[in-house]
Amino acid sequence: MKKILTKAPYKGCRDLFPKEKRLQNYLFQHMSQVAQQFGYEPYDGPLLEPVELYLAKSGEELINEQIYSFMDRGERQVAIRPEMTPTLARMIANVHREISKPIRWYSIPNLMRYERPQKGRLREHWQLNVDIFGAPSPFAEVEIWQLIAELFFSFGAKSNHFSFQINDRRIVDTLLEKLALTQEQRYKFYKLIDRCKKITPEQLTTELEQLVQSPQLRSIALEYLQLNSLKDLSQWMDRHHLAKESMATIEQAFHMGAQLGLETLLCYDPSIVRGLDYYTGLVFEVFDQSPDNRRALCGGGSYDRLLEIFGDQALPGVGFGLGDVTLVDFLSSHDLLPKTEKNNLDIYVSYQVEEAQIAALQVAQALRRQQLQVEMAPGVQKYKKVFSLADQKDIKALIFIGEEEFKKQYFQYKILATQEQGEYPLASLDEFLTKLKK
Ligand code: HAM
């Protein structure tokens, strides 16, 4: 017996039927429009990259647990891109000397990570990436925050729907100096901070004990994780005689952000360090304020040294990734999803007698040349059938060419929103178009 195949897509991947694709197009249009409003140019890259591109700086979790990799026929170890930043860095390394700075680029690639599929996490997702290279800090970070906020506002979100949780890796490094950890312990400490909200306080204490022997130093680290604001941070640094230079950029960035109306959106969060290894300065994640959607909507930060893996000089970059899965969850939790059930069309052209077929096709063709979206009836259709079809789609106007109309060479129309109807000679489509535009 023949094997019956499953109709389900591969685990953690989605089939995007027209309804879902319409929603995705809507998201992508907003993303592209806002990125372009800030002067960012689109780019794209390959789906496959040599694995070593990610080994260099992406971080343990991505490499050990999440990467899809295989040997190609030429015995090269390749990976399906799990993120875009290494590809972007490679592309920038090729051209940055010839382009004036800052370089502002964006892309919306699909990425694959071997994850346990759950709410907000799939194996394939699309991710808006917006990055700026060669701009001073914190100008670059603040521009990126502004862009993210404008993008959410463009979907109808309000300031109380989302917030930026921000930290600076240099602040964590100042703590690490104080804790006097080895390079390996430092790395583990970063991973522990990254997970600290996902584990129990007991687990946190146990893991911290393994890393930091001195109870005094452990309490400094625990105090750090309780900090809630830049004011707290400043006082904590004073209390423990820590050098405050590492606070300068974040303070400046918050100050600039406040002057640009972002004040209520920006929060200091000591637990944000980001799981990827290449970040060097300010790092952030944007969270939904709704308790039903706990995952980060987007994350990013500044990375000054990624180009060095290609033997280039350091060129500071700042950027973020925003996933389509978490974005849809966000829009849904705030009732901001557009209606995408029906296909949007300007005109449906029908004919009621066979002889009118060519005339109807000609009308449809002329209307399409006016940039209208026009669907054509596939055969003779009764008036009633045309109206019921119009109900299933989102059509602005209907055109009919019946027996009488064909004989006298005119057509009938109905504009559905206003219920206005009438007729025009086939030769006077222009007049109909003028009416339609009104
Ligand atoms: P990331 O934090 O790994 O950063 O991913 C950014 C966003 O992509 C997440 O906040 C989430 O919305 C979405 N995302 C990630 N993994 C999944 C998944 N398995 N399923 C659904 N959504 C997911 C990066 O990838 C950095 N390369 C971003 C960046 C660009 N940094 C600088 N420039």
Side-chain angles (χ1 to χ4, degrees):
M1 220 174 69
K2 258 199 202 157
K3 188 176 173 217
I4 305 290
L5 299 182
T6 172
K7 291 178 189 166
Y10 171 68
K11 187 172 176 179
C13 294
R14 291 160 290 171
D15 289 328
L16 297 175
F17 292 99
K19 174 172 172 279
E20 289 85 32
K21 191 66 193 169
R22 276 196 284 278
L23 175 59
Q24 199 185 55
N25 283 344
Y26 168 84
L27 305 180
F28 289 3
Q29 273 157 15
H30 277 247
M31 291 170 173
S32 300
Q33 191 179 337
V34 173
Q36 285 173 20
Q37 278 169 351
F38 279 77
Y40 287 73
E41 293 181 274
Y43 72 95
D44 219 329
L47 189 65
L48 297 179
E49 290 280 9
V51 170
E52 61 188 21
L53 183 64
Y54 306 104
L55 291 177
K57 287 248 177 189
S58 284
E60 244 172 33
E61 193 191 10
L62 202 76
I63 300 300
N64 296 344
E65 294 162 31
Q66 299 181 339
I67 211 154
Y68 278 86
S69 64
F70 60 92
M71 191 80 88
D72 75 5
R73 288 169 200 274
E75 296 193 1
R76 281 169 289 258
Q77 195 67 35
V78 290
I80 303 180
R81 59 186 174 198
E83 59 156 334
M84 197 61 169
T85 313
T87 300
L88 169 67
R90 185 175 58 67
M91 291 169 65
I92 291 284
N94 275 300
V95 294
H96 70 96
R97 277 176 223 85
E98 293 103 61
I99 325 181
S100 64
K101 316 287 178 307
I103 304 169
R104 291 179 166 98
W105 286 4
Y106 79 93
S107 190
I108 316 176
N110 56 336
L111 310 174
M112 292 208 67
R113 297 182 187 183
Y114 194 81
E115 301 224 35
R116 190 168 58 81
Q118 55 194 291
K119 188 171 160 59
R121 279 284 176 274
L122 291 178
R123 290 190 174 172
E124 183 186 37
H125 77 285
W126 274 258
Q127 194 190 79
L128 168 68
N129 277 253
V130 181
D131 292 84
I132 178 167
F133 288 87
S137 175
F139 166 86
E141 286 88 344
V142 174
E143 175 170 297
I144 289 287
W145 298 344
Q146 266 187 307
L147 189 153
I148 295 171
E150 287 310 313
L151 178 59
F152 287 136
F153 293 146
S154 82
F155 289 117
K158 303 275 180 296
S159 310
N160 59 349
H161 289 163
F162 61 99
S163 75
F164 289 73
Q165 315 286 110
I166 304 166
N167 196 5
D168 193 315
R169 283 215 176 187
R170 289 163 293 196
I171 293 170
V172 185
D173 290 340
T174 310
L175 168 64
L176 289 173
E177 291 284 316
K178 180 85 180 175
L179 300 182
L181 301 183
T182 63
Q183 205 53 38
E184 198 191 329
Q185 286 170 323
R186 282 175 171 227
Y187 192 76
K188 286 193 178 148
F189 191 83
Y190 259 108
K191 298 294 157 195
L192 182 60
I193 300 184
D194 193 34
R195 286 186 295 122
C196 76
K197 284 189 179 156
K198 294 179 196 141
I199 56 179
T200 61
E202 294 75 35
Q203 230 176 321
L204 175 65
T205 315
T206 315
E207 289 194 37
L208 200 56
E209 276 168 5
Q210 286 161 6
L211 285 173
V212 185
Q213 261 43 120
S214 142
Q216 246 172 345
L217 291 178
R218 265 203 311 273
S219 87
I220 298 180
L222 280 172
E223 255 182 57
Y224 165 77
L225 289 171
Q226 314 285 309
L227 301 174
N228 263 323
S229 63
L230 285 184
K231 196 168 152 216
D232 276 1
L233 172 66
S234 167
Q235 289 169 352
W236 171 81
M237 288 197 145
D238 287 338
R239 257 198 320 277
H240 301 293
H241 313 292
L242 295 168
K244 288 172 96 173
E245 288 86 63
S246 59
M247 276 190 73
T249 313
I250 199 167
E251 279 186 324
Q252 222 183 324
F254 272 54
H255 184 64
M256 273 178 83
Q259 288 170 304
L260 294 165
L262 300 176
E263 191 167 18
T264 57
L265 292 172
L266 308 181
C267 315
Y268 173 65
D269 185 336
S271 72
I272 300 294
V273 288
R274 308 276 299 134
L276 300 156
D277 290 351
Y278 42 71
Y279 297 108
T280 48
L282 281 174
V283 280
F284 60 88
E285 291 191 350
V286 177
F287 283 89
D288 191 343
Q289 293 293 63
S290 151
D292 312 333
N293 190 25
R294 305 292 328 162
R295 295 229 166 248
L297 292 168
C298 74
S302 59
Y303 44 97
D304 284 355
R305 312 185 55 176
L306 196 48
L307 264 54
E308 289 177 359
I309 64 174
F310 307 102
D312 277 43
Q313 298 157 288
L315 177 69
V318 179
F320 72 94
L322 163 68
D324 66 333
V325 184
T326 41
L327 177 59
V328 168
D329 288 345
F330 170 76
L331 296 178
S332 153
S333 71
H334 298 286
D335 210 9
L336 296 171
L337 281 177
K339 293 198 175 19
T340 52
E341 276 76 22
K342 297 180 178 181
N343 192 13
N344 254 319
L345 274 177
D346 292 315
I347 299 175
Y348 186 81
V349 178
S350 71
Y351 56 100
Q352 282 65 46
V353 286
E354 202 58 56
E355 311 84 272
Q357 188 193 46
I358 295 297
L361 280 165
Q362 286 167 340
V363 167
Q365 190 176 36
L367 292 170
R368 289 184 191 121
R369 286 184 180 158
Q370 299 301 318
Q371 315 309 321
L372 292 168
Q373 294 176 21
V374 182
E375 190 177 319
M376 179 70 212
V380 168
Q381 275 174 345
K382 297 212 166 86
Y383 290 91
K384 218 170 127 193
K385 166 94 179 168
V386 176
F387 281 111
S388 92
L389 276 173
D391 248 5
Q392 292 163 29
K393 307 192 182 203
D394 195 1
I395 298 176
K396 292 197 185 78
L398 304 174
I399 282 185
F400 304 92
I401 310 181
E403 191 175 1
E404 194 56 25
E405 290 91 23
F406 181 64
K407 257 193 230 149
K408 299 188 180 151
Q409 289 290 292
Y410 68 91
F411 65 89
Q412 284 200 53
Y413 69 86
K414 180 152 186 167
I415 298 173
L416 291 163
T418 57
Q419 291 291 306
E420 186 185 343
Q421 54 190 51
E423 54 189 52
Y424 280 105
L426 282 172
S428 307
L429 260 183
D430 290 357
E431 288 173 38
F432 169 64
L433 280 170
T434 316
K435 169 166 276 314
L436 204 62
K437 278 182 194 143
K438 280 190 208 150

